[in-house]
Amino acid sequence: QVQLVESGGGLVQAGGSLRLSCAASGRTFSNYAMGWYRQAPGKGREFVAAISWSDGSTHYSDSVEGRFIISRDGTKNTVYLQLNNLKPEDTAIYYCNAGAVVYITNTYLPGASWGQGTQVTVSS
């Protein structure tokens, strides 16, 4: 099992920035990729971004492309999500996930390990 702990959420005005962190512990050797999802009130859980541990390749949803940056720190077993130029529609609970990527399509496959989430609220 892998334990995931998110942090860094908070309140920010539109156009501002936040950096989210996801620290992984426990059995991390089988984690091939990490992903971020978010869930807004009344909506389903939505894919945001993913990164491969092996080569650092990234994938983003169209809604955040060019604004968000996902990165990794292998020495700390931590993945970050830099949220720039935030919009009110980015308001959601952001969840970290340990999973894998289908290489030929760069499609993220979520695993069973999820963090508790961190709230991001963007005011207009």
Side-chain angles (χ1 to χ4, degrees):
Q1 293 182 325
V2 178
Q3 291 77 48
L4 304 173
V5 179
E6 302 99 332
S7 62
L11 306 176
V12 65
Q13 290 183 292
S17 299
L18 288 171
R19 190 182 75 160
L20 309 183
S21 299
C22 174
S25 62
R27 298 182 63 185
T28 61
F29 60 87
S30 61
N31 295 338
Y32 300 110
M34 300 288 289
W36 287 94
Y37 285 71
R38 65 186 182 184
Q39 187 165 14
K43 297 183 178 180
R45 194 165 295 186
E46 173 192 20
F47 172 78
V48 176
I51 187 167
S52 172
W53 281 111
S54 60
D55 61 4
S57 60
T58 59
H59 182 73
Y60 300 92
S61 67
D62 291 341
S63 62
V64 307
E65 180 73 44
R67 297 189 299 122
F68 293 3
I69 302 172
I70 188 170
S71 61
R72 74 198 198 282
D73 185 340
T75 62
K76 297 182 178 180
N77 290 324
T78 300
V79 174
Y80 305 95
L81 186 67
Q82 179 70 39
L83 298 79
N84 298 316
N85 192 24
L86 284 163
K87 305 175 181 179
E89 51 264 42
D90 294 319
T91 295
I93 302 175
Y94 284 70
Y95 297 93
C96 181
N97 176 261
V101 172
V102 178
Y103 183 78
I104 59 174
T105 60
N106 199 27
T107 301
Y108 184 73
L109 299 178
S113 297
W114 295 88
Q116 294 298 309
T118 185
Q119 177 71 49
V120 172
T121 302
V122 184
S123 64
S124 59

